Structures are given as C-alpha cells and as structure tokens.
Amino acid sequence: MGIPVKKLKSGFALPELGLGTWGMGGRHEPDSSNDEAEITAIKAAIDAGLTHIDTAEVYGVGHSEELIGEAIKGVNRSKLFLTSKVAKENHTCDGILESCKKSLKRLGTSYLDLYLLHHFSSECPLDEAIQALDMLVDQKLVRHIGVSNFTKEHLKEAQKYAKHQIVCNQVYYNLQAREPESSRLLEYCKKHDVLLVAYRPVEKGKLLEEVPPLMEEMCVKYQKTPAQIAISWLISQENVVTLVKTSNPAHLKENVGATGWYMTKGDVEILRREYPGQAAVPEQNRLG
Ligand SMILES: NC(=O)c1ccc[n+]([C@@H]2O[C@H](COP(=O)([O-])OP(=O)(O)OC[C@H]3O[C@@H](n4cnc5c(N)ncnc54)[C@H](OP(=O)(O)O)[C@@H]3O)[C@@H](O)[C@H]2O)c1
C-alpha cells in the first residue's frame, strides 16, 4: 500500500510523507564516499512506498540529484514524484531555465513533478522568477511549481504573478519550530489552497534525544514511537505534509509507520500548546 496523499481543492496531490535527501551525496560540497549506501537507502525508501523524493541543486552541489538519478534507474517514472529546487543565486529567468535543465540531467529524467524556488531572493525580481517557473511548466519540463522558505507576504506576491498554481511552500516546521504558526503562514496556506511541506520533522533526530513526559504519554496512547508522533503531529494537520531524511533501514520502517493513521484534533492541539521548547527557530538549531 502506498503512502496516503493530501489533496488541494485544485486536485494537486502530494504524499503525506516524502524522503528528504539533504546530506546524501554531501552537504555544501559533493561527497562520494558513501554513494553505494545512499543509493541503496533511496531504493529502500522507494520500495517502502516513499515515492516523493525531495532534493535541490545545492545538495552536495548536485551530487544528491545524481544519486537519486542512479537509484531510480529502472523504476517506473510515473510512480515517482520528484521535487527539486533552484538556488536563490540563480533566480533570473535564464538562470532558472538553465538550473532546471541541469537538475533534469543529473536526475536522468525528462521532467520534474515539482520545482521550487529554494529561498526568496531580494536580488532577483520575483515576477521574473515566477514567470520562469511558469515557462518550465509550459515547456513540460516541470509539472507543478512552488516555493520554499517564503514568508506569507512573499507567497502572496508569488501567487499574484503565477499563471500556474503555486502548490506548496516548503518550510521549517516541527513540534518545536513554530514560525509557520506565529507568522500565520499555516493559516494562510489552509485558506488559500496551498500545501505546507514541513521540513526537518524530527529536528535532525534531536527531538528524539530527550523525550518529554507529554511525548511519552502520546506514545503510550497511540502505541507509537516519538519519531512517529513527531511526524504524525504534522501530517494529522490539514494542508500539511512532511519530508524526513533517513539512510537507516530501521528509521525508514519507523517513519513509514507514522503514515496512514492520524492523531485526534484534540491531541494535535495539546501538543501544539504544551510541547516544550517551542521557538520560531529552536535553540539547538541556532547552535547547530
Ligand atoms: N527547503 C529547505 O530549505 C530545506 C531545509 C532543510 C531540509 N529540507 C528537506 O527536508 C528534508 C528533511 O529535513 P532534515 O533532513 O533537515 O531533517 P530531519 O528529516 O528532521 O532529520 C534527518 C536526520 O534525522 C535522522 N532520523 C530520521 N528518522 C529518524 C528516526 N526515526 N529515528 C532517529 N533518527 C532519525 C536521520 O538520520 P539517519 O539517516 O541515520 O536515519 C537524519 O540524521 C531534508 O533532507 C531536505 O530534503 C529542505
């Protein structure tokens, strides 16, 4: 059975859990030392049902995309949902078209399911960047477009310029990282038919290190692990899906086990109100 999808009113659908790939193939520089294991991990994730794979041109300076390209060789392309992102340094019209073509080449595919502006750029006009994304859809190189790390105001502006629907804003959101709530971005997404794709759901594993009593109570109530509660808290919310990175088979199984069931609205709200350590940007992340 596949991972359940969340649908917009427009019909656009995205699996409630996808595979993140930050760190696979390097971070700010390419790293080939672990290629075989990472390719195996991506294949295992696809086999486990994680067909949404999220990457970006900057991840390992393109090497993450190359590893995904290797891992998906022989996989029915129509069963996959591939997302990549263009770095803000490339947000000119020509820059976006060129970056997209390079990502397609590294991924070994003729189209992306979703292409995002990785961050808002104050250096490049947003209307030009959005028009470039629209052109990619018209040229059938990209199926859907979206943004990442955009404020509510920038998202609204992007929607004003877009011919094709902005289907998502991919942002930092988890039990402790609450910027999308305090800025009312989450509320805006619900109201305006945009999916909020929450990245870093387990705070790079740090959320699982010291489990507060409230989390323990939820684990007992739902008979789930802290990682599953952290992921479910996101996907139990309207308009929210998430991405988790793992190269570990046991973590993969655990994370997939967070899908297909939901927390009650009441429990989602208890965790929203009472989960300790909430901040716009969590302290441990500022330090890390
Ligand atoms: N748009 C953006 O600017 C942006 C920014 C950050 C992230 N993202 C995307 O979102 C994805 C997810 O975010 P993230 O990678 O920063 O953080 P994350 O998914 O919260 O955490 C990944 C880390 O947690 C560990 N982990 C995963 N599942 C676990 C489990 N069940 N138990 C214990 N540890 C577990 C992983 O280690 P193992 O591999 O050992 O399991 C990995 O070190 C990224 O990979 C990327 O695709 C986007």
Side-chain angles (χ1 to χ4, degrees):
M1 202 191 71
I3 305 289
V5 297
K6 291 262 179 97
K7 274 193 180 175
L8 293 178
K9 293 185 189 87
S10 65
F12 172 77
L14 200 55
E16 60 189 22
L17 180 66
L19 179 72
T21 61
W22 166 244
M24 290 182 170
R27 294 177 190 270
H28 303 290
E29 290 184 0
D31 176 359
S32 294
S33 62
N34 221 15
D35 282 5
E36 219 170 293
E38 298 297 23
I39 292 167
T40 302
I42 297 165
K43 284 183 176 168
I46 296 169
D47 289 344
L50 293 186
T51 51
H52 177 200
I53 305 174
D54 177 80
T55 185
E57 63 174 348
V58 297
Y59 293 4
V61 196
H63 195 45
S64 157
E65 292 178 327
E66 288 170 346
L67 294 181
I68 295 165
E70 279 302 314
I72 64 173
K73 275 185 183 157
V75 180
N76 182 342
R77 178 65 183 86
S78 67
K79 305 277 184 229
L80 297 169
F81 190 103
L82 301 181
T83 297
S84 193
K85 318 182 196 80
V86 53
K88 67 178 179 184
E89 294 71 28
N90 297 325
H91 285 190
T92 59
C93 186
D94 286 349
I96 289 175
L97 301 184
E98 203 175 308
S99 283
C100 181
K101 285 176 189 163
K102 285 184 185 164
S103 287
L104 290 174
K105 196 164 180 213
R106 287 189 289 262
L107 286 160
T109 186
S110 59
Y111 68 92
L112 283 166
D113 296 278
L114 180 59
Y115 200 42
L116 312 179
L117 301 180
H118 204 148
H119 294 89
F120 175 79
S121 166
S122 50
E123 308 284 310
C124 305
L126 185 59
D127 56 346
E128 181 180 335
I130 297 295
Q131 277 159 19
L133 292 184
D134 275 334
M135 277 170 70
L136 288 169
V137 177
D138 294 338
Q139 291 174 12
K140 302 203 183 319
L141 297 178
V142 159
R143 294 244 163 115
H144 303 279
I145 60 173
V147 295
S148 176
N149 299 301
F150 268 41
T151 62
K152 177 165 59 79
E153 290 70 28
H154 289 145
L155 170 60
K156 202 170 173 180
E157 192 186 342
Q159 286 175 308
K160 195 174 78 187
Y161 301 134
K163 183 174 81 173
H164 298 287
Q165 187 186 18
I166 306 276
V167 295
C168 75
N169 189 8
Q170 186 185 121
V171 294
Y172 184 23
Y173 182 41
N174 65 37
L175 279 164
Q176 289 187 326
R178 297 301 186 86
E179 171 81 24
E181 293 173 5
S182 53
S183 67
R184 305 179 77 171
L185 173 70
L186 178 58
E187 187 185 325
Y188 181 88
C189 286
K190 286 181 193 164
K191 200 165 163 199
H192 295 273
D193 205 30
V194 177
L195 284 175
L196 190 146
V197 181
Y199 69 70
R200 212 164 284 162
V202 296
E203 193 54 55
K204 298 186 183 171
K206 288 175 191 150
L207 270 185
L208 318 172
E209 283 165 11
E210 279 172 47
V211 176
L214 178 59
M215 175 66 104
E216 279 172 9
E217 274 171 41
M218 293 292 171
C219 291
V220 171
K221 176 166 179 182
Y222 289 93
Q223 287 294 290
K224 301 288 176 188
T225 67
Q228 290 170 334
I229 295 292
I231 292 169
S232 181
W233 179 75
L234 293 164
I235 63 185
S236 295
Q237 299 187 48
E238 205 187 320
N239 279 61
V240 180
V241 302
T242 191
L243 303 164
V244 62
K245 179 267 163 187
T246 185
S247 307
N248 174 313
H251 293 166
L252 172 65
K253 192 167 178 224
E254 182 179 13
N255 298 343
V256 170
T259 67
W261 60 275
Y262 305 95
M263 303 180 74
T264 65
K265 278 189 177 158
D267 287 337
V268 168
E269 292 313 316
I270 289 172
L271 286 168
R272 194 191 309 286
R273 269 195 323 270
E274 296 176 22
Y275 198 86
Q278 295 181 29
V281 180
E283 185 65 23
Q284 65 262 40
N285 185 271
R286 266 190 241 128
L287 299 174

